[in-house]
């Protein structure tokens, strides 16, 4: 554990809290991509299958449970409780265009060709691109609510902080995981345009708008 990982985890939790509060308080999931949330649920499910077989620490197990529970809770709110508010017309990204290449990468590039390691690699690769349906939806509608922008910024910041965590661990502990590092860099790059717009628009009280 180090300060960058801790701040990354806090940012990740903050993103989840912002999202759930947004849906619950407004009684609406408008502007949120159900497809991205489905992909995130798949990420946490495949990554944390070792929850009952590989104990690392209480903190580690707690975070795994929170991420899994929150992801499925979000899906419940979007597809069951507030399904009438879900904007299917704009959430049209074809997730198979992500799932098929990601599955192929996981089979080809992993730490060990075993079920658990392939699924772990799959989750890392998938998390790098899971936000694309949400960004595509924002681009298609042309704008994002401030609360949705805060959610995306916190989510992007989490991965950027994890890059600093890996740099710290590389120099401080001689630890490296190139699968996670490269996927994390790709994920952060996908947020770059959004980060710029967030800083120049949302933080100045303006609505985040993108070309439709």
């Amino acid at each position: 554990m180090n300060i960058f990982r801790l701040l990354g985890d806090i940012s990740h939790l903050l993103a989840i809290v912002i999202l759930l509060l947004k849906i619950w308080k407004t009684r609406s999931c408008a502007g949120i991509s159900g497809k991205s949330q489905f992909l995130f649920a798949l990420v946490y499910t495949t990554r944390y299958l070792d929850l009952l077989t590989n104990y690392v620490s209480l903190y580690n197990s707690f975070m795994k449970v929170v991420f899994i529970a929150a992801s499925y809770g979000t899906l419940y709110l979007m597809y069951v409780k507030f399904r009438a508010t879900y904007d299917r017309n704009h959430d049209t990204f074809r997730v198979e265009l992500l799932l098929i290449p990601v599955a192929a990468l996981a089979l080809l590039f992993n730490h060990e060709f075993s079920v658990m390691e392939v699924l772990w690699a799959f989750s890392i690769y998938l998390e790098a691109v899971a936000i694309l349906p949400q960004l595509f939806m924002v681009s298609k509608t042309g704008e994002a609510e401030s609360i949705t922008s805060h959610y995306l910024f916190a989510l992007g910041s989490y991965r950027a902080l994890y890059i600093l965590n890996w740099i710290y661990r590389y120099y401080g502990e001689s630890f490296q995981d190139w699968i996670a590092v490269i996927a994390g860099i790709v994920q952060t790059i996908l947020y770059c345009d959004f980060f710029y717009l967030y800083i120049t628009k949302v933080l100045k009280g303006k609505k985040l708008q993108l070309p439709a």
Side-chain angles (χ1 to χ4, degrees), residues 53-209:
T53 61
N54 184 29
Y55 179 81
V56 177
S57 66
L58 180 61
Y59 174 84
N60 184 271
S61 296
F62 172 76
M63 296 298 279
K64 289 179 179 180
V65 171
V66 168
F67 292 141
I68 292 173
S71 63
Y72 282 98
T74 302
L75 290 179
Y76 168 76
L77 292 178
M78 293 194 67
Y79 287 102
V80 180
K81 192 170 184 64
F82 303 123
R83 63 182 300 178
T85 66
Y86 172 43
D87 187 4
R88 288 178 175 81
N89 293 329
H90 287 109
D91 194 15
T92 57
F93 192 96
R94 295 176 59 188
V95 295
E96 65 270 20
L97 297 179
L98 301 178
L99 291 172
I100 294 173
V102 161
L105 279 174
L107 289 169
L108 292 171
F109 302 102
N110 51 70
H111 294 310
E112 177 186 321
F113 197 73
S114 64
V115 173
M116 296 300 287
E117 285 298 326
V118 169
L119 288 175
W120 179 86
F122 174 84
S123 76
I124 295 296
Y125 296 136
L126 183 59
E127 186 179 20
V129 295
I131 199 61
L132 282 177
Q134 179 66 63
L135 296 177
F136 180 76
M137 187 177 186
V138 171
S139 177
K140 197 170 182 181
T141 59
E143 62 183 29
E145 297 177 5
S146 293
I147 193 69
T148 304
S149 300
H150 297 328
Y151 158 70
L152 289 172
F153 183 79
L155 198 60
S157 298
Y158 135 70
R159 216 51 183 168
L161 286 164
Y162 255 64
I163 291 178
L164 297 177
N165 161 61
W166 293 319
I167 293 173
Y168 175 88
R169 294 190 67 186
Y170 177 78
Y171 288 103
E173 306 171 14
S174 297
F175 173 85
Q176 61 184 28
D177 185 337
W178 290 113
I179 290 177
V181 170
I182 293 173
I185 291 173
V186 170
Q187 185 175 356
T188 304
I189 289 173
L190 292 177
Y191 281 93
C192 284
D193 282 347
F194 173 81
F195 283 154
Y196 173 77
L197 290 172
Y198 183 87
I199 293 170
T200 59
K201 299 285 187 181
V202 179
L203 293 184
K204 294 181 178 179
K206 301 176 182 178
K207 179 173 277 191
L208 188 150
Q209 294 183 315

